[in-house]
Amino acid sequence: MFIYLPCTLTVIYDVPLIRLTLKKDAVLKIGIKDIAKQANVSIGTVDRVLHNRGEVSKTTREQVLKIIDELGYTPNLLAKSLSSKIKYTIAVLIPDAGSNPYWEKPLEGIKAAAREIKKFNFELQVATFDYSNENSFTEKANEILESNPSGFILAPVFYESSLTVIEKCDTLELPYVFIDVFIENCKNLAYFGQNSAQSGYLAARLMNYSINKGSSHLYIVKPLNPSAPVYHLSLREKGFISYFSLETTNQPDIHSMDFDISSPSILVESLDTIFASNQYPSGLFVANSRVHLVANYFEKNKIKNVVLIGYDLLPENIEYLEKGVIQFLVCQKPEEQGYKSVFSLFNHLFLKKPVDKLNYSPIDVIMKENIEYYKNFKI
Amino acid sequence: MFIYLPCTLTVIYDVPLIRLTLKKDAVLKIGIKDIAKQANVSIGTVDRVLHNRGEVSKTTREQVLKIIDELGYTPNLLAKSLSSKIKYTIAVLIPDAGSNPYWEKPLEGIKAAAREIKKFNFELQVATFDYSNENSFTEKANEILESNPSGFILAPVFYESSLTVIEKCDTLELPYVFIDVFIENCKNLAYFGQNSAQSGYLAARLMNYSINKGSSHLYIVKPLNPSAPVYHLSLREKGFISYFSLETTNQPDIHSMDFDISSPSILVESLDTIFASNQYPSGLFVANSRVHLVANYFEKNKIKNVVLIGYDLLPENIEYLEKGVIQFLVCQKPEEQGYKSVFSLFNHLFLKKPVDKLNYSPIDVIMKENIEYYKNFKI
DNA sequence: CTGAAAGCGCTTACAG
DNA sequence: CTGAAAGCGCTTACAG
C-alpha cells in the first residue's frame, strides 16, 4: 500500500555565483638544466647533489640545493625511468592458492599493480609456500633473500620462522610489507590486511538487525582447515560475540560450532542436530568463505527465514546470495590488499614517498543488490 | 550467554605442490629501432606507418606492419609522452558545489585523476554551472567548446540544452563522457553514475531486515532542493517501493513525504505529525544526503528504535551514524565517478584503449563498523 | 671535485 | 616517398 503525503513546497531562487576555473597553468616546468644554468654548474653536478652521490664541494652543493628549493624543482619521473638502468624487483611470498583459494585474490591485485608499474622498470617475483609446511616457507624466503630483491611482500603466517626471515630483512635493509597477517614490533614498511574482529562485530550488527527480536539462538560456524591457521576465524568470532555483549539489550544465546572442512558429513550431522533441537536458530554466522556449505544444506533442506551471513565472494557464495539463501556476505577486498602492497613499495622505492604503516581493508557489506559491483576486481 | 559446541576435528595432510615462479622475463623489449632494422627502413618511416601519417609506399608500409606484428611491438608510453609536444586538455562541466555539496566529491576524484596523468601532458579545465540557471550551463559549455579541448566530461542535467551541446560535440568529433546523469541514444564515450533505483531497492531490503516484522509504517522522505532536479530522488523512491511489492510477503504501509530543504520547519511539523499519529513509523528512508536533518529531529526528540536510512557521507551524517541515530548510509562513491571519468578519456585519447560505455558505481552499505574505511577518498 | 657527451625510446621538423 | 638529426629530461660512465 502506497500513500502519498505531500508537504508544502516553496520555490526559492538562491542563485550561487557562476564561476569558471580555466587553469591557464602558466608555470613552466623546470628541469635540472634550469637549475644548472642558475647555479652556473653542469647538469652532472646538479644530479650529484640531487642524489647525494658526494663528490661535490660544500659551497656548490649548498648553492644548488638553494636553487632547487627556490625553483621548486620536482623530477620528471618519465625521463627518470626512461634513462635509468636501475631495475626494481618486488618479491612476493604468499600461501599457495591450492591450499586456500582465498590467496588467488591478493595475487590478482599484486599482478594488476605489477602490470601498472612495469613501465617504471619494476619486476615481480612470486613465490608460494604450503600452509601445512613451515619449512616450505623458510626455504622460499631464503631463496628470495638470496635473489636480492628491492622489496619484499610476505604473509608471515608462521610466527617463529617469520621472525627469522624478518631479522634477515632488517640486516639487509630490505623493505618488507606484511600482507594479511600482522606481526607486532617489526620494522615493516607497511601492513595490509583485514580488521577481522571489526568485521565480526559488523556481521553481528547485521545479524541483530535481521533476526526477529526477542530470545533466540545464534550459531557461529567455524569451518576449519587443519593445515591453515585460525586467527582470522577466532577474531571474527570474538568480534561477533562482543557486539552482543556491548551494544544490544537483545541477548540471544550464541553457540559456537567448529568443524573440519575435509569431512562435510560432520557439518551435516551437526546442522541436523541443531535444526532438530529446541534451540532452533534465528541465524547462522559462518566465519569464513565456506558459508556455501551451510547454504547448500539450507537449500537441500528447504530452510527459510534463518539469517545466513558469511564471508568472501567465492562463486558458490555469490550464487547462494543471489538465490537469497545467504543474506549478507562480508568481504575485505583481498585484491586491493595485494594491489596496495605493491604500490606501497613503489611509493617507497621509486617515488620516495612516505607510506602509511597500518592499512586495514574496507569491510564491504555485500547483498543481492550490490554484488554486481563487487564481483570483478577493477582499479 | 556463550555456549561452546565443538565438533570432531580430523587432521588431514593434504600437501599441495610447492612451486616457485620466479619470472625471468627474458623477453627483451623491442622498440621502433628494432623494427626499422628488420625492415631495412629508418625509424622515421616506422613512425609514419605506426601513426598512419601516410607518405609511405604501400609495399614498405605492409612490410613494416608485418614486422611490427611479428615482433609484437608495443610503444613505450614514457618515451612517447616525453618526446611528444602534444598537450591534452580535459574539460569538465559540472554543477557548482555551492548549490549542492555533493558535487565536491566527483570533483575531488577528477582532480586526483588529473594529478596522476599530468605527467602524460594532460591538463584539466574545470567549469561549473548553476543548477537553477540553464543558461549558465549553455554558456559555459560553449566557452568550453570554443577552447577546443581533447575530451569533455559533463553532467547533462538540462535535457534540451544538453542535446544541443552534445550535437556540437558530435560535429567536432569531441569525445564526451556523462557523469551522474545519463542521456540515452548518445554517442557518449562513457557514462559514470549511480544506479539509483537499485540503491533504493537495496535500502528497502536493509529496512525490511531491520524493522520488526509484522504490520508497520514506513516513510520515504524526499528533501527537495527547488533549484535541483529530482530524478535520482524519485528513482530511489521507486526502487524502495518496488522491493516491498516484489520481494517480501511483509507488506508495510509506505508513506511518501516531500519537503523543501529551505524551510526546515516544515520538516519538523511533518515529523511531529507522524510521530503523534497512530501511524507511528518503524523506519524512515531519506532519499538523499539530507538525512541528517531527520537524524537531528530524532536526537532532539529522543526517538529510538526507529530505523533511519539515508544517503551519502556528509560530515553530519557520519556523526549521526557513529552516534547510532542513523543505522545505514547508502553511498555511491562519487569521487570514484569523477576519477574514472577522467581515466576513461585518458584510456581513449592516450592509450587508445577501448572503454566501457555504461559504468554504474558500486553501492556501498555504510555502518558504524565500516565507516572508517569509506570516510576518505583514496585510490 | 666538475663538465661534456652518449643514451633511454620515442616525436618532429627538415632536407632530399 | 624516405632518412638523418635534434630534442624531450633525465642517468651514467668517462675524462680531466
Side-chain angles (χ1 to χ4, degrees), chain A residues 105 108 313 318 335 371-379, chain B residues 340:
Chain A
K105 306 267 180 171
E108 210 179 302
L313 296 184
I318 292 175
E335 303 95 340
I371 185 151
E372 187 58 34
Y373 312 112
Y374 293 96
K375 266 184 194 169
N376 303 312
F377 171 64
K378 267 190 192 180
I379 283 297
Chain B
K340 292 192 168 176

Side-chain angles (χ1 to χ4, degrees), chain B residues 25-252:
Chain B
D25 215 339
V27 187
L28 289 180
K29 185 70 185 169
I30 69 130
I32 54 170
K33 229 187 258 178
D34 306 280
I35 298 168
K37 204 182 288 168
Q38 281 271 336
N40 266 320
V41 293
S42 73
I43 59 167
T45 302
V46 175
D47 192 69
R48 275 177 209 107
V49 346
L50 234 25
H51 297 92
N52 294 313
R53 308 205 236 98
E55 306 189 23
V56 183
S57 78
K58 213 173 170 181
T59 43
T60 56
R61 187 184 145 77
E62 273 162 12
Q63 172 67 359
V64 169
L65 240 24
K66 194 177 139 229
I67 291 175
I68 286 173
D69 186 53
E70 278 174 13
L71 271 53
Y73 168 78
T74 54
N76 180 323
L77 267 20
L78 301 192
K80 182 173 173 144
S81 63
L82 186 60
S83 66
S84 175
K85 303 275 92 188
I86 295 181
K87 301 265 180 229
Y88 298 88
T89 312
I90 295 184
V92 176
L93 181 58
I94 54 175
D96 194 295
S99 41
N100 188 343
Y102 170 83
W103 283 98
E104 280 170 21
K105 306 266 180 174
L107 187 55
E108 209 178 304
I110 287 170
K111 284 180 177 166
R115 276 192 294 275
E116 283 185 40
I117 60 176
K118 199 177 161 190
K119 50 175 165 296
F120 296 106
N121 298 327
F122 273 75
E123 212 186 64
L124 209 64
Q125 274 185 9
V126 179
T128 57
F129 62 89
D130 175 358
Y131 243 137
S132 58
N133 182 344
E134 185 155 356
N135 276 338
S136 76
F137 173 84
T138 309
E139 273 170 32
K140 295 301 172 192
N142 287 335
E143 240 175 282
I144 283 171
L145 293 182
E146 268 164 36
S147 80
N148 195 28
S150 332
F152 189 12
I153 297 171
L154 74 161
V157 295
F158 304 109
Y159 186 73
E160 292 297 339
S161 303
S162 296
L163 283 187
T164 316
V165 171
I166 288 160
E167 227 166 81
K168 285 183 189 163
C169 292
D170 285 334
T171 314
L172 294 165
E173 298 195 6
L174 169 64
Y176 52 96
V177 172
F178 292 149
I179 184 166
D180 201 60
V181 184
F182 183 65
I183 295 186
E184 289 197 320
N185 299 322
C186 290
K187 293 178 193 149
N188 58 314
L189 176 68
Y191 163 70
F192 293 86
Q194 321 185 347
N195 193 335
S196 300
Q198 185 80 352
S199 74
Y201 202 95
L202 174 144
R205 184 185 295 280
L206 289 171
M207 182 65 85
N208 188 40
Y209 285 166
S210 305
I211 54 175
N212 285 308
K213 308 301 176 290
S215 94
S216 59
H217 293 276
L218 297 180
Y219 290 81
I220 301 174
V221 181
K222 292 194 291 173
L224 300 175
N225 179 349
S227 66
V230 298
Y231 39 77
H232 282 322
L233 282 180
S234 40
L235 284 175
R236 287 165 177 177
E237 179 179 42
K238 271 188 198 156
F240 188 88
I241 292 167
S242 62
Y243 170 81
F244 284 99
S245 55
L246 291 177
E247 285 232 21
T248 176
T249 51
N250 185 33
Q251 288 295 347

Side-chain angles (χ1 to χ4, degrees), chain A residues 1-12 14-25 76 78-79 81-82 96-99 118-120 123-128 130 132-133 136 140 143 195 198 201-202 205-206 209-213 220 222 224 226 237 241 243 247 251-260 262-263 266 270 327-328 333 340 356 359-365 367-370 373-374 378-379, chain B residues 1-12 14-25 76 78-79 81-82 96-99 118-120 123-128 130 132-133 136 140 143 195 198 201-202 205-206 209-213 220 222 224 226 237 241 243 247 251-260 262-263 266 270 327-328 333 340 356 360-365 367-370 373-374 378-379:
Chain A
M1 180 175 166
F2 177 61
I3 302 158
Y4 195 76
L5 183 142
C7 298
T8 325
L9 194 141
T10 319
V11 179
I12 54 149
D14 174 17
V15 185
L17 279 181
I18 300 165
R19 68 194 148 92
L20 177 63
T21 321
L22 288 179
K23 260 198 220 163
K24 290 294 171 209
D25 215 341
N76 180 324
L78 301 191
S81 64
L82 187 60
D96 194 295
S99 40
K118 199 176 161 190
K119 50 176 165 296
F120 297 106
E123 211 186 66
L124 209 63
Q125 275 185 7
V126 179
T128 57
D130 175 358
S132 59
N133 182 343
S136 76
K140 294 302 173 192
E143 241 176 281
N195 193 336
Q198 185 80 350
Y201 202 96
L202 173 143
R205 183 184 295 280
L206 289 172
Y209 285 165
S210 305
I211 56 175
N212 285 309
K213 307 301 177 288
I220 301 174
K222 292 194 291 173
L224 300 176
E237 180 180 42
I241 292 168
Y243 171 81
E247 285 232 22
Q251 287 296 347
D253 286 346
I254 302 176
H255 312 256
S256 186
M257 183 184 129
D258 298 7
F259 81 98
D260 183 333
S262 60
S263 33
I266 294 184
S270 306
Q327 272 70 53
F328 293 103
K333 291 201 168 57
K340 292 193 167 175
D356 286 338
N359 305 277
Y360 283 124
S361 300
I363 303 172
D364 291 324
V365 177
M367 316 162 51
K368 229 179 182 177
E369 281 73 28
N370 63 358
Y373 312 112
Y374 293 96
K378 267 190 192 180
I379 283 297
Chain B
M1 182 176 165
F2 177 61
I3 301 159
Y4 194 76
L5 184 142
C7 298
T8 325
L9 194 142
T10 320
V11 178
I12 53 147
D14 174 18
V15 185
L17 279 181
I18 300 164
R19 68 194 148 92
L20 178 64
T21 322
L22 288 179
K23 262 196 219 162
K24 290 294 171 207
D25 215 339
N76 180 323
L78 301 192
S81 63
L82 186 60
D96 194 295
S99 41
K118 199 177 161 190
K119 50 175 165 296
F120 296 106
E123 212 186 64
L124 209 64
Q125 274 185 9
V126 179
T128 57
D130 175 358
S132 58
N133 182 344
S136 76
K140 295 301 172 192
E143 240 175 282
N195 193 335
Q198 185 80 352
Y201 202 95
L202 174 144
R205 184 185 295 280
L206 289 171
Y209 285 166
S210 305
I211 54 175
N212 285 308
K213 308 301 176 290
I220 301 174
K222 292 194 291 173
L224 300 175
E237 179 179 42
I241 292 167
Y243 170 81
E247 285 232 21
Q251 288 295 347
D253 286 347
I254 302 176
H255 312 256
S256 186
M257 182 185 131
D258 298 7
F259 80 100
D260 183 333
S262 60
S263 32
I266 295 184
S270 306
Q327 272 70 55
F328 294 103
K333 290 200 168 58
K340 292 192 168 176
D356 286 337
Y360 283 125
S361 300
I363 304 172
D364 291 323
V365 177
M367 318 163 49
K368 230 181 184 176
E369 282 73 28
N370 64 358
Y373 312 112
Y374 293 96
K378 268 189 191 181
I379 281 300

Side-chain angles (χ1 to χ4, degrees), chain A residues 80-100:
Chain A
K80 182 173 173 143
S81 64
L82 187 60
S83 65
S84 174
K85 302 276 91 187
I86 295 181
K87 300 265 179 228
Y88 298 88
T89 312
I90 295 183
V92 176
L93 181 58
I94 54 175
D96 194 295
S99 40
N100 188 341

